[in-house]
Amino acid sequence: MAAVLRPSLAHKLSAALAETRLRLLNISRYPGQLAMEIIIPIVFASMPMLLGRASGGGAAAENFAANTGTANYVAYLLIGSNVFTLVSNAFWHVAYWLRFEQETGTLESVYLTPTSSLTLVTGVALYSAARGLVAAGLAYIVGCLIFQVNPLQGDVLLALAFIGAGLVPLYGLTLLFGALVLKVKESNALIGLMQWVVSFLMGIFFPVAVLPPLVRLVALLFPPTWMTNGVRSALLGVGFFFGEWYLDLAVLWVFMLFAPLFGFWVFNRVERNVKRNEGMGQF
Amino acid sequence: MQGQVRIENLGKTYHARQRRGLFKSSESRVEALKGIHLAIQPGELFGLLGPNGAGKTTLIKCLTTLLLPTSGAAWVNGYRLTEQDNLIRATVGCMLMGERGLYWKLSGRENLEFFGALYHLMPATRRRRAAEIIDLLELGEIAERAVETYSSGQKMKLAFGKALINDAPLLILDEPTNTLDLPSARELRAVVGALNERGKTVIYTTHIMSEAETLCDRVAIVDRGEVLALGSVPELKASLKREAVTRIEGIISNAAARAVEGLPGVSRAALAAVNGHNTLTVMSPEPRAVLPRLIEALTAHQAVVQKIVPEEVTLEDVFIARTGRTLADDTRVK
């Protein structure tokens, strides 16, 4: 027999990377999709940018600085739209992975193998993060060049640290979302709704300080809010929530510890419930 | 009860929602498996024969850990179901859902190597296994092409190959010859037979009686979630030894078939429509004596009899004798 009964970490990592490779091979068969992922956040940020210029006139930058802490509204909005794309794609990729495979029938095939759902999700998350980071990075640089601002100002390494620390709890949250998709067998409407809520809470085009107090509290329970503000503070100096970068990063570390565990616990319970009732393949 | 696969009183009940229009729905209970007992020995080629909806796939899905059973217990390769599911999955090669279980945008080789990785084979091993399977199934010419360009038969072959990637001691094949043309089906059955001769235990589900007859060492006839009969093909046929089978072809209505079934000396009669022709299978311990009454009953119900053929007992006759229905009937539990 060729199969390994007690897989080591190397075996599991190899399986996760195979899942990542599968997704990358699959998306390489649709090259237009990647181009769209670079264009969309630029177009998305352009709308409030042009509206601001139209309504603020020559004083647009000063007005913006008074409320957000930076006059560089171009980079501010591009960071918002790109982090949002990263977050939105993370939800899309996990939800779509489950839904698409339910519909095509490959989900049952994958569940016939001894690879755990944790390993599979790790593979999907690696793929999603790689795809999302490349697309968001390129979109940010291209957007900055189009609107003639410097993309590499501020502390780039710190910004990357916030993105890195934010991605782990983000994929923990996507597991909750994946569990919902597995159960209700619907992804498009759920993602549509989630995108509006996420963009609102994370302060896609505005600082969360302008949100009503109760909504602001909810927004601060959401890791992408800290990720967005961390990147903006590192690059544009808009100000960390707790004043110092390491305190904000510590909050993301706390999310990093709990969100994946909670997400996986819920996912496992829903998975078992689905197996008890209709089965993994039913869609 | 010992065996490579041991099933004790396995039951599966679904709660299905029945829709009535836009807003109304009600929940119903569907008993897909009703206390199945089976033991499959190492090296056996074991057939699960039954019509569509009999519960074969539900049983397979329980044994491969895709579904949790509601009651009972099972051991697969010595591992207990629901407690050692990962070990069961690692030691079973399964073909379920045929071509739907493949990634159509990837090539055949990419598919095999990907599934190899999910069985925790390291890169060199999975490349070797994929190459061996491509050779075994003669898929070399199409191995680098995207699966979406394959014919239905080629996809089924690849799906079968996927079940071999972990070189498991137990193969579970759910209707593997579906959508295959006759030569390809024969070829695949030959490969299954050869793998069995090399020591692999095979569970083979089918609703095609001839497949079970030619391929399997033992057969369980399943219907409505129950095992109706179990034994080797000669044993099952011998269970109907006292019965003779007569097949009548022509234009025969359901009413005529019912009238025949009610005749003295007829133990079972089942009507099946194949290619626009009706075939009435009649079982009787005294076929010659019953024949005049039989023709009389059919003509009284405006049946047009084209052919009357006395035949050998088949597994389908065993099924008919137990259920009064043919294997072509869909017996999905409502």
Side-chain angles (χ1 to χ4, degrees):
Chain A
M1 194 184 74
V4 178
L5 293 183
R6 314 229 179 261
S8 64
L9 188 64
H11 289 114
K12 289 177 183 173
L13 190 64
S14 173
L17 289 175
E19 179 68 46
T20 307
R21 184 172 175 273
L22 168 92
R23 312 266 131 220
L24 289 171
L25 282 173
N26 218 29
I27 193 67
S28 72
R29 270 62 160 175
Y30 301 94
Q33 180 81 23
L34 287 173
M36 289 301 289
E37 271 173 37
I38 297 167
I39 295 165
I40 286 170
I42 301 172
V43 174
F44 205 30
S46 301
M47 286 186 277
M49 218 181 280
L50 298 173
L51 176 70
R53 278 185 188 174
S55 57
E62 288 74 28
N63 291 342
F64 195 79
N67 290 307
T68 61
T70 178
N72 190 349
Y73 61 88
V74 170
Y76 187 96
L77 297 174
L78 278 171
I79 290 169
S81 68
N82 278 299
V83 175
F84 168 70
T85 306
L86 205 58
V87 174
S88 171
N89 277 349
F91 281 94
W92 256 112
H93 295 155
V94 171
Y96 193 65
W97 159 60
L98 287 162
R99 187 69 195 128
F100 184 75
E101 300 225 354
Q102 256 179 351
E103 286 179 347
T104 56
T106 44
L107 192 65
E108 276 194 347
S109 268
V110 165
Y111 269 83
L112 283 171
T113 71
T115 293
S116 69
S117 39
L118 177 64
T119 306
L120 291 171
V121 169
T122 305
V124 175
L126 283 173
Y127 150 77
S128 169
R131 177 178 161 182
L133 284 171
V134 168
L138 284 173
Y140 177 66
I141 290 169
V142 172
C144 284
L145 293 178
I146 290 172
F147 290 100
Q148 296 169 333
V149 294
N150 176 14
L152 299 175
Q153 58 196 302
D155 192 339
V156 177
L157 281 180
L158 185 59
L160 289 175
F162 269 95
I163 290 174
L167 282 177
V168 178
L170 173 65
Y171 283 100
L173 289 180
T174 62
L175 277 175
L176 293 177
F177 195 66
L180 193 63
V181 169
L182 205 57
K183 188 64 196 163
V184 302
K185 302 180 196 334
E186 160 58 44
S187 59
N188 291 7
L190 285 172
I191 290 174
L193 173 70
M194 179 278 308
Q195 280 180 320
W196 288 108
V197 175
V198 166
S199 61
F200 185 67
L201 288 179
M202 64 178 268
I204 178 170
F205 295 138
F206 50 82
V208 289
V210 301
L211 291 171
L214 196 63
V215 181
R216 197 184 318 144
L217 189 70
V218 176
L220 291 173
L221 292 173
F222 191 57
T225 310
W226 294 79
M227 186 161 72
T228 314
N229 192 65
V231 176
R232 279 175 176 156
S233 302
L235 295 182
L236 308 174
V238 297
F240 294 100
F241 289 134
F242 283 138
E244 299 293 341
W245 64 268
Y246 52 85
L247 293 176
D248 279 23
L249 206 52
V251 173
L252 275 178
W253 274 86
V254 173
F255 280 128
M256 204 154 68
L257 289 176
F258 291 105
L261 287 177
F262 181 63
F264 196 65
W265 179 75
V266 173
F267 189 84
N268 258 343
R269 286 185 69 93
V270 171
E271 193 182 78
R272 204 163 171 78
N273 176 280
V274 170
K275 280 187 177 185
R276 191 173 293 121
N277 293 306
E278 65 272 24
M280 299 304 297
Q282 203 178 88
F283 55 94
Chain B
M1 205 178 356
Q2 293 297 317
Q4 189 160 357
V5 178
R6 215 168 103 211
I7 304 167
E8 289 180 2
N9 201 25
L10 204 72
K12 176 70 192 170
T13 305
Y14 293 103
H15 293 276
R17 193 158 281 279
Q18 295 197 326
R19 305 283 179 187
R20 290 193 187 86
L22 271 180
F23 303 109
K24 283 187 183 170
S25 68
S26 60
E27 204 175 81
S28 64
R29 212 168 148 268
V30 178
E31 228 182 323
L33 296 178
K34 300 170 187 165
I36 300 270
H37 284 275
L38 279 177
I40 297 160
Q41 303 308 323
E44 206 173 2
L45 208 162
F46 188 88
L48 280 173
L49 177 69
N52 289 330
K56 306 184 298 288
T57 302
T58 303
L59 178 60
I60 295 301
K61 284 188 174 182
C62 284
L63 292 179
T64 52
T65 78
L66 287 176
L67 273 177
L68 287 172
T70 316
S71 59
W75 290 261
V76 178
N77 292 325
Y79 303 115
R80 187 171 175 138
L81 194 68
T82 73
E83 286 175 13
Q84 295 171 297
D85 286 1
N86 270 352
L87 291 166
I88 291 177
R89 287 194 288 263
T91 55
V92 171
C94 187
M95 178 183 178
L96 200 64
M97 305 151 300
E99 59 192 64
R100 287 193 70 236
L102 300 166
Y103 292 91
W104 287 24
K105 280 282 169 193
L106 302 191
S107 71
R109 192 184 300 275
E110 284 169 343
N111 265 284
L112 291 174
E113 289 185 8
F114 169 69
F115 282 102
L118 297 192
Y119 281 98
H120 298 123
L121 308 185
M122 292 311 266
T125 316
R126 60 194 188 232
R127 275 197 293 274
R128 180 179 53 77
R129 277 300 297 157
E132 285 169 1
I133 291 164
I134 287 166
D135 279 350
L136 176 73
L137 300 177
E138 296 170 359
L139 291 170
E141 278 181 24
I142 55 167
E144 318 304 333
R145 268 172 36 196
V147 171
E148 64 186 350
T149 65
Y150 287 19
S151 71
S152 203
Q154 289 168 331
K155 284 177 192 147
M156 284 298 276
K157 246 182 172 184
L158 183 67
F160 174 65
K162 180 173 75 67
L164 306 179
I165 193 74
N166 58 335
D167 197 14
L170 173 65
L171 284 176
I172 299 183
L173 309 173
D174 189 23
E175 314 239 2
T177 53
N178 260 3
T179 76
L180 288 185
D181 54 29
L182 287 174
S184 305
R186 201 178 307 125
E187 211 178 290
L188 191 136
R189 280 195 294 269
V191 175
V192 172
L195 289 167
N196 175 247
E197 273 171 25
R198 274 192 254 154
K200 290 206 188 292
T201 308
V202 182
I203 301 179
Y204 192 101
T205 82
T206 180
H207 65 276
I208 305 166
M209 172 267 302
S210 58
E211 269 198 336
E213 272 194 12
T214 54
L215 200 61
C216 300
D217 300 322
R218 278 197 312 150
V219 175
I221 296 180
V222 184
D223 187 45
R224 299 185 195 237
E226 287 176 295
V227 175
L228 300 181
L230 173 66
S232 67
V233 174
E235 278 168 1
L236 289 171
K237 286 181 177 178
S239 69
L240 290 186
K241 211 172 182 181
R242 289 182 302 113
E243 303 269 356
V245 177
T246 308
R247 269 182 241 287
I248 301 162
E249 287 178 22
I251 303 165
I252 304 163
S253 65
N254 284 324
R258 277 197 298 275
V260 168
E261 183 148 36
L263 290 175
V266 171
S267 41
R268 283 286 189 189
L271 187 64
V274 181
N275 300 331
H277 282 273
N278 285 347
T279 301
L280 182 67
T281 306
V282 181
M283 287 175 198
S284 166
E286 38 181 355
R288 283 179 190 280
V290 96
L291 197 59
R293 291 199 295 271
L294 203 148
I295 294 168
E296 198 180 315
L298 287 172
T299 44
H301 286 83
Q302 284 80 46
V304 179
V305 175
Q306 290 165 335
K307 209 197 279 181
I308 299 178
V309 191
E311 280 196 0
E312 289 264 313
V313 171
T314 65
L315 283 182
E316 176 138 25
D317 301 325
V318 179
F319 182 79
I320 292 169
R322 299 283 198 291
T323 66
R325 284 175 285 109
T326 69
L327 283 166
D329 291 338
D330 188 330
T331 57
R332 208 172 302 274
V333 182
K334 304 280 191 313

